[in-house]
Amino acid sequence: MDLVVGGGVVGLSIAWRLARAGRTVTVVDPAPASGASHAAAGMLAPVSEVTYTEEPLLRLGLASLRRWPSFAAELLAESGVELDYRVDGTLDVAFGTDDLAALDELAAFMDKLGLPVERLTGRECRRLEPMLAPSVRGGLLAPQDAWVDPRRVTTALLAALSKLRVPVIRARATELLREGEAVKGVRLAPREAGPYQEVLEADRVILAAGVWSGELAGVPVRPVKGQIMRLHSPTPLLTRCVRGTVHGASVYLVPRGDGELVVGATQEELGFDTRVTAGGVYELLRDARELVPGVTELELADVVAGLRPSTPDNVPLIGPWQGLTLATGHHRGGVLLAPLTAALVAGEEGELAELCSPGRYA
Ligand code: GLY
């Protein structure tokens, strides 16, 4: 039996993948789909999220983006849940001379990597997105970037797992149980509801517990807090994902089919703090308004704070580690990287395995 510790988008995708391949699988999580996956915006944007020092992450992101069309189609077919998966690109916009120069540099870098991007004037940006601020002076369009609603994805994965009769046990794993070199199960914390089982035994333990992976297995994963808000508009304000740098911080807006507009996200190094703060909300709204002034008219529907599981190099940890299999440390890219992570854990995509091998921290 394969035991997946962690019921976020990564753990559930792995369990779905393994169960469909005929493996016996169990998932354990005290509150499935409630952590970083619940907070995430769902940008599938390896191109517009790329930074100069993160080419390995870009390769992983592009490989996973290629998997998303079939992953989304199969998940919809098996669960019957619409995912709001869209491939309409990301528009990265700039205001000042410095921002424009940075966009030019980024465009040249992407060109060198063979990534399809289009440099646009301010007017061309506003033709694509009429609600953009008049002060936008230029932009970079990454047409292949996509996005999806992560809350629908986890709902769909739980439905698909239920159809495959994969147990999802609502309990917290507190300790890894070792037999010699190998991890052969976990100890569980007592539960308020349901029959209490002290341990779960397994042939293989796959640790996909996000920020909690550090505590359980001593892996180098730390929480990076992200506050993120959901606004509602009767008619969509944008047709694609828009992002920009405002007051030195990156802000993005992701439109959904049902009129939701996601505005994200802060990046705060505050440990396991998940408080929503007045300052966080203020900064998100202030910066979003610089990009699209009309956001202040929208209904404020939801604000949450999630914890990104981040590694020192921002690349996830996927593969063998001290007797178990890791699938954690996905930082800003858990939703994007979920299909690839599931494939790697299932033994595919061997040529990419080295890039995210936990062995690099051995
Ligand atoms: N992927 C965007 C974020 O983590 O905020």
Side-chain angles (χ1 to χ4, degrees):
M1 190 259 279
D2 287 329
L3 177 63
V4 180
V5 180
V9 68
V10 170
L12 297 176
S13 298
I14 294 168
W16 183 49
R17 174 76 198 222
L18 295 175
R20 290 169 91 214
R23 301 280 308 172
T24 305
V25 189
T26 295
V27 178
V28 63
D29 189 310
S34 68
S37 309
H38 183 72
M43 281 190 296
L44 311 176
V47 173
S48 66
E49 289 241 299
V50 70
T51 62
Y52 296 105
T53 52
E54 294 183 346
E55 279 183 52
L57 192 57
L58 176 68
R59 278 185 64 197
L60 296 170
L62 289 172
S64 205
L65 186 68
R66 282 193 290 276
R67 287 182 169 270
W68 257 98
S70 59
F71 182 85
E74 287 163 24
L75 189 53
L76 168 63
E78 284 196 23
S79 68
V81 178
E82 289 286 346
L83 306 178
D84 204 1
Y85 168 65
R86 288 167 60 182
V87 188
D88 290 329
T90 304
L91 181 59
D92 198 348
V93 298
F95 296 92
T97 317
D98 289 355
D99 290 354
L100 284 169
L103 271 196
D104 283 335
E105 248 176 64
L106 198 58
F109 174 65
M110 290 179 176
D111 214 40
K112 213 174 78 197
L113 295 174
L115 298 173
V117 288
E118 222 179 302
R119 185 69 173 80
L120 304 177
T121 64
R123 189 171 296 179
E124 287 167 332
C125 290
R126 274 182 297 280
R127 204 173 297 139
L128 288 180
E129 295 296 344
M131 299 307 281
L132 278 178
S135 47
V136 166
R137 289 179 53 196
L140 197 61
L141 180 68
Q144 290 178 353
D145 276 1
W147 65 94
V148 71
D149 185 341
R151 295 180 182 180
R152 290 173 182 245
V153 174
T154 49
T155 301
L157 285 165
L158 286 167
L161 289 175
S162 161
K163 277 194 181 161
L164 292 168
R165 305 205 182 289
V166 172
V168 178
I169 297 174
R170 267 101 173 137
R172 181 174 296 285
T174 55
E175 188 189 336
L176 302 174
L177 301 175
R178 294 185 178 275
E179 264 179 45
E181 298 285 288
V183 176
K184 289 291 185 187
V186 295
R187 187 175 305 286
L188 300 179
R191 291 191 277 165
E192 278 169 25
Y196 174 53
Q197 221 175 323
E198 199 182 350
V199 297
L200 276 174
E201 288 174 1
D203 301 312
R204 172 163 78 142
V205 174
I206 298 148
L207 185 59
V211 285
W212 308 106
S213 310
E215 273 182 11
L216 265 174
V219 290
V221 171
R222 71 180 197 287
V224 176
K225 177 178 174 181
Q227 300 190 53
I228 187 162
M229 69 174 64
R230 282 160 169 85
L231 307 174
H232 263 288
S233 89
T235 51
L237 227 53
L238 298 172
T239 60
R240 56 179 58 69
C241 185
V242 168
R243 63 185 308 147
T245 303
V246 186
H247 301 115
S250 164
V251 62
Y252 52 79
L253 289 87
V254 183
R256 303 238 183 268
D258 59 3
E260 187 173 87
L261 185 69
V262 183
V263 180
T266 64
Q267 290 217 84
E268 303 164 75
E269 302 269 357
L270 291 172
F272 286 83
D273 171 8
T274 52
R275 287 171 310 134
V276 169
T277 63
V281 172
Y282 165 71
E283 279 166 30
L284 287 174
L285 276 177
R286 180 196 62 191
D287 296 351
R289 192 178 64 164
E290 295 273 336
L291 292 184
V292 178
V295 294
T296 50
E297 302 301 320
L298 306 186
E299 180 191 342
L300 174 52
D302 181 39
V303 194
V304 293
L307 299 174
R308 303 177 184 89
S310 303
T311 61
D313 59 6
N314 293 338
V315 177
L317 298 155
I318 308 168
W321 164 275
Q322 298 178 358
L324 75 165
T325 300
L326 294 187
T328 187
H330 289 73
H331 184 47
R332 295 171 62 92
V335 183
L336 167 66
L337 295 170
L340 176 71
T341 304
L344 284 163
V345 171
E348 287 177 29
E349 299 271 15
E351 71 286 1
L352 292 175
E354 197 58 38
L355 294 178
C356 46
S357 163
R360 68 189 188 276
Y361 290 115

